Amino acid sequence: MDVQVDGKEIAVAAGASYGDAARLAQVQEPLAARQNGEIRELGQPVTDAGQVDILTFADPDGRTVFHHTSTHIMAQAVRRLYPGARLAIGPADPDGFFYDMELPRQLGPEDFAAIEAEMAKIAAADYPVVREVISRQAAIELFSALGETYKLEIIERLPEDAQISIYRQGEFVDLCRGPHLASTGPVKAVKLLSVAGAYWAGDESRPMLQRLYGTSFPSEAGLEAHLRLLEEAKRRDHRRLGRELDLFTFHDVAPGFAFWQPNGTILYHELEQFSREVQQRYGYQEVMTPWIFRPDLWQTSGHWGHYKENMFVVESEDEVVALKPMNCPGHCLMFSESVRSYRDLPIKFAEYGPLSRFERSGTLHGLLRVRGFHQDDAHIFLREDQIGAGIAEVLEIISVIYGAFGLQYRVELSTRPEEFLGEIELWNRAEGELAAALDRAGLTYRVNEGDGAFYGPKIDVHVIDALGRNWQCATVQLDFQFPLRFELEYRDQDGKAKRPVMVHRAIFGSIERFLGILVEHFAGAFPTWLSPQQARVLPVSDRHAAYAQEVEAVLRARGIRAGSDLRDEKLGYKIRAAQTDKVPYLLVVGDREAADGTVSVRARGEQASRTLPQAAFGQALEQEVRTRALRLGAHLLEA
């Protein structure tokens, strides 16, 4: 059988494994494989011809497999050190892992070194990680003997005829779907990061477990670099910077909803205005729809049956209503209100109104996971022959908007989930259209099997921040289902009624989440056009206050967000305060500047200053803001 590995054509014998294919392709330090969108263990036999991706630690899927095995190593170490420990669930992702456990005593950071040492012993033993498939009854007997009550609860929810996979390493056995590494040996460096409480199954009426977080690497050097990254991430934490820069706050009276301070409101509106300007260039029409609807609408859209648990449902005057979690059903109603011609399409409705989704309190995380938010949301209604151009245009807008922030990004194509609306043929067609659009745009992408919306496949875009972290932001969803469910029509050239196709898209994702990402990406030091205060005038002494206010007024007349620090403090104190506030430009004015009509300009992050005529500086700064320049001082050299 022939397979392609890293562009090499490899002939593998019948019964050969993915590990054999990796060796033939001379892939260094393979961890797992990916074929047809499915992650395979190296020991599994190759059953299909075609493209095979051999996963290393550099690949997010490879890191997830690595961390998954590390989760089992941690659980094995805890079992050794704390007899009677009961295991619940232990998921992993590209950044690390955790395991929820019931333990005989409360763990603290002082216990981490002993667990890490035991994990190192297990890794050094290089135990083979062996998968077995057993019956449901055999699994019940096995985990009953081990006293693993949480595992038993999981097993008992499975069908009677279920075939269940378990994994063994040394004396340790766990219930698990996999996939895993071939052995424990590749895990050379581990670090436990924290321990927290977590309700079993996320249910506050169930037992409180201990959630032990950790990460692992193939080398100590990799771990040390990651720990430095974590320290930098703490410094950039948007929740801390949000308070320090007076951008936003959160209060218990409104969990999951942000209170936007004046500085943060400026940021918010700048993002929204930027989005509006771009969308206007591409022919979007802005609309506003209600934020509360009766269930009829959600039943038509399918949200009542597929998404109700994520919605805020309210009963008032003996009537049930729901707050909208997205705008698409309302936009469908608006489309249906008029007779549409093929000449009218595409129609592009954009909306920035409030949305709300019920997120469990334990998952809320600053601006990154909220209950109340706004999207740069839009829905495009188009003819089938316009699909390719429509998707291409959205991809172009993504490039324009992310480029303004200097953000790189990666792309995923998310396909049909287990629970979906409509016919499989339409889904296959929609998935094919999205894949073709990505290919025409020359974008490299990975297939994320089963992660589409219940009504259609989607393109998910993950931005990469200054620390190399990935954040899912933009989404582009191609939908044949909503036009059917809402009976949307347009009149074609032949006078017959045709169904439009619908594209759901948001570029920022939610404005709240995108702002949280930007705060951490820029560490609060925003480009000038975004900064709440763009210039601060610092008089050397009280007698220069009048000139400082004059400079401020001239800049404000140009549309610059300028301010003056007229406090009775020394100049050095004022400079340090402006630096803490991350103001892009400090303008020091004293006797010479007042006499000459100039300002002494110091750009953020620089020690040197230069003296410029007041008008020249204002003109350069206005140009920097107008062009949304990413780099400070981009136009000062021309002044």
Side-chain angles (χ1 to χ4, degrees):
M1 182 190 309
D2 292 335
V3 296
Q4 292 83 41
V5 180
D6 293 344
K8 301 175 184 175
E9 191 82 21
I10 304 293
V12 296
S17 69
Y18 288 98
D20 295 329
R23 283 188 290 275
L24 288 170
Q26 298 181 325
V27 178
Q28 299 298 309
E29 299 181 348
L31 302 177
R34 182 174 55 231
Q35 190 173 29
N36 301 327
E38 183 180 332
I39 309 303
R40 315 280 178 89
E41 294 172 349
L42 292 179
Q44 288 181 256
V46 180
T47 56
D48 302 311
Q51 179 65 35
V52 173
D53 299 318
I54 300 299
L55 306 179
T56 67
F57 199 77
D59 187 286
D61 285 338
R63 290 198 299 277
T64 299
V65 173
F66 190 94
H67 290 144
H68 198 167
T69 300
S70 303
T71 310
H72 282 212
I73 294 173
M74 181 175 71
Q76 184 176 6
V78 168
R79 274 239 199 100
R80 287 181 178 182
L81 294 172
Y82 304 98
R86 294 177 180 174
L87 306 178
I89 56 170
D93 62 30
D95 297 318
F97 52 87
F98 69 80
Y99 216 124
D100 289 348
M101 312 172 184
E102 182 184 295
L103 297 169
R105 69 172 179 84
Q106 179 64 46
L107 294 184
E110 65 278 6
D111 299 303
F112 292 175
I115 300 172
E116 289 166 358
E118 197 64 36
M119 291 177 70
K121 290 179 186 177
I122 294 166
D126 198 20
Y127 294 120
V129 180
V130 180
R131 184 176 189 266
E132 298 177 22
V133 177
I134 61 176
S135 69
R136 181 177 180 274
Q137 184 57 39
I140 289 173
E141 292 171 4
L142 172 62
F143 288 99
S144 293
L146 292 171
E148 291 287 11
T149 55
Y150 299 105
K151 301 294 182 182
L152 284 171
E153 185 175 330
I154 295 170
I155 295 166
E156 287 167 354
R157 290 198 296 262
L158 299 175
E160 290 285 345
D161 59 351
Q163 294 293 297
I164 294 169
S165 60
I166 61 172
Y167 282 81
R168 297 183 185 272
Q169 57 195 49
E171 83 287 357
F172 179 77
V173 61
D174 203 354
L175 176 73
C176 189
R177 292 179 182 174
H180 281 280
L181 303 177
S183 72
T184 62
V187 182
K188 304 294 187 187
V190 298
K191 182 69 175 177
L192 301 188
L193 301 172
S194 63
V195 62
Y199 290 108
W200 169 230
D203 186 341
E204 296 177 7
S205 67
R206 306 298 302 276
M208 172 69 79
L209 306 177
Q210 295 186 59
R211 177 169 291 178
L212 189 57
Y213 290 90
T215 192
S216 58
F217 282 80
S219 69
E220 287 290 345
L223 175 60
E224 289 171 6
H226 181 71
L227 295 178
R228 288 194 295 271
L229 188 71
L230 291 180
E231 285 302 312
E232 178 63 16
K234 287 181 183 177
R235 188 182 74 82
R236 292 170 178 256
D237 190 312
H238 75 283
R239 294 165 298 180
R240 181 178 66 81
L241 289 172
R243 292 190 302 271
E244 292 178 0
L245 300 177
D246 201 24
L247 302 177
F248 52 83
T249 54
F250 289 88
H251 294 281
D252 289 341
V253 294
F257 291 79
F259 288 75
W260 291 96
Q261 304 296 332
N263 284 347
T265 301
I266 290 171
L267 275 173
Y268 189 98
H269 285 159
E270 284 290 346
L271 278 190
E272 197 175 64
Q273 181 57 31
F274 177 41
S275 172
R276 280 195 171 96
E277 288 179 17
V278 172
Q279 291 189 155
Q280 285 170 2
R281 296 203 298 266
Y282 287 89
Y284 285 80
Q285 303 173 77
E286 192 170 339
V287 298
M288 294 188 290
T289 57
W291 56 92
I292 295 177
F293 291 96
R294 288 173 169 158
D296 313 53
L297 180 80
W298 306 117
Q299 287 164 351
T300 300
S301 70
H303 287 93
W304 206 248
H306 292 265
Y307 202 78
K308 183 181 177 183
E309 68 277 7
N310 300 109
M311 298 167 65
F312 283 100
V313 178
V314 180
E315 186 170 348
S316 179
E317 294 185 341
D318 298 323
E319 182 177 23
V320 173
V321 295
L323 280 68
K324 66 177 178 181
M326 58 267 299
N327 294 308
C328 34
H331 290 184
C332 286
L333 284 182
M334 295 183 79
F335 181 92
S336 69
E337 289 171 346
S338 301
V339 176
R340 309 289 183 178
S341 162
Y342 72 95
R343 293 189 182 91
D344 299 326
L345 274 55
I347 290 173
K348 308 171 187 178
F349 289 151
E351 184 164 7
Y352 297 89
L355 302 171
S356 59
R357 297 178 187 174
F358 176 71
E359 302 282 358
R360 291 190 176 276
S361 58
T363 67
L364 300 177
H365 182 77
L367 293 178
L368 302 179
R369 193 70 174 266
V370 291
R371 288 174 170 169
F373 60 99
H374 303 70
Q375 289 185 316
D376 59 331
D377 198 16
H379 297 91
I380 308 167
F381 301 88
L382 33 69
R383 305 188 308 265
E384 290 189 19
D385 64 291
Q386 296 173 321
I387 290 174
I391 299 297
E393 183 181 277
V394 174
L395 295 175
E396 184 177 311
I397 294 172
I398 289 171
S399 178
V400 168
I401 288 184
Y402 288 174
F405 304 98
L407 290 167
Q408 302 297 312
Y409 56 91
R410 63 178 183 85
V411 180
E412 291 181 350
L413 174 58
S414 298
T415 60
R416 186 180 68 250
E418 289 185 12
E419 292 190 21
F420 62 92
L421 292 176
E423 301 298 323
I424 287 179
E425 290 75 14
L426 280 179
W427 275 85
N428 291 340
R429 186 173 171 191
E431 289 171 7
E433 291 279 8
L434 290 181
L438 289 170
D439 291 335
R440 285 193 296 269
L443 290 171
T444 301
Y445 62 94
R446 66 182 288 267
V447 177
N448 191 8
E449 296 285 354
D451 201 43
F454 67 85
Y455 48 79
K458 58 180 179 169
I459 295 169
D460 286 323
V461 180
H462 299 251
V463 301
I464 303 168
D465 71 8
L467 299 184
R469 298 172 300 180
N470 288 258
W471 306 93
Q472 198 278 313
C473 291
T475 184
V476 187
Q477 302 166 1
L478 182 57
D479 181 5
F480 287 86
Q481 306 302 328
F482 272 31
L484 282 170
R485 296 179 73 87
F486 282 92
E487 299 181 348
L488 304 184
E489 294 181 347
Y490 68 91
R491 292 288 166 185
D492 208 356
Q493 281 179 293
D494 57 8
K496 294 181 180 179
K498 295 283 181 67
R499 290 263 184 258
V501 181
M502 190 172 174
V503 172
H504 309 242
R505 50 114 292 199
I507 311 301
F508 293 142
S510 90
I511 297 178
E512 283 77 0
R513 177 176 167 80
F514 196 76
L515 265 173
I517 293 166
L518 286 185
V519 170
E520 298 198 2
H521 176 67
F522 291 114
F526 302 106
T528 305
W529 70 274
L530 264 182
S531 294
Q533 189 175 77
Q534 295 163 330
R536 185 175 297 177
V537 190
L538 310 178
V540 174
S541 67
D542 286 347
R543 69 176 182 274
H544 308 113
Y547 181 62
Q549 290 175 301
E550 176 191 324
V551 172
E552 176 189 345
V554 170
L555 290 174
R556 284 185 176 276
R558 288 182 175 272
I560 303 300
R561 294 188 291 272
S564 300
D565 189 341
L566 305 179
R567 292 176 295 174
D568 186 18
E569 299 284 355
K570 292 183 178 179
L571 180 61
Y573 179 90
K574 295 178 182 180
I575 290 174
R576 288 190 296 274
Q579 290 171 335
T580 298
D581 293 341
K582 304 183 186 295
V583 179
Y585 292 102
L586 311 186
L587 313 181
V588 177
V589 294
D591 289 337
R592 186 181 62 182
E593 287 80 13
D596 297 343
T598 59
V599 289
S600 179
V601 182
R602 181 190 294 186
R604 183 180 58 215
E606 296 182 2
Q607 295 301 315
S609 60
R610 58 183 304 200
T611 300
L612 293 172
Q614 185 189 131
F617 170 76
Q619 183 177 0
L621 186 54
E622 185 180 356
Q623 177 78 345
E624 183 172 316
V625 171
R626 186 184 62 78
T627 59
R628 293 190 172 93
L630 192 58
R631 183 172 60 86
L632 262 62
H635 299 280
L636 284 181
L637 297 177
E638 305 164 8

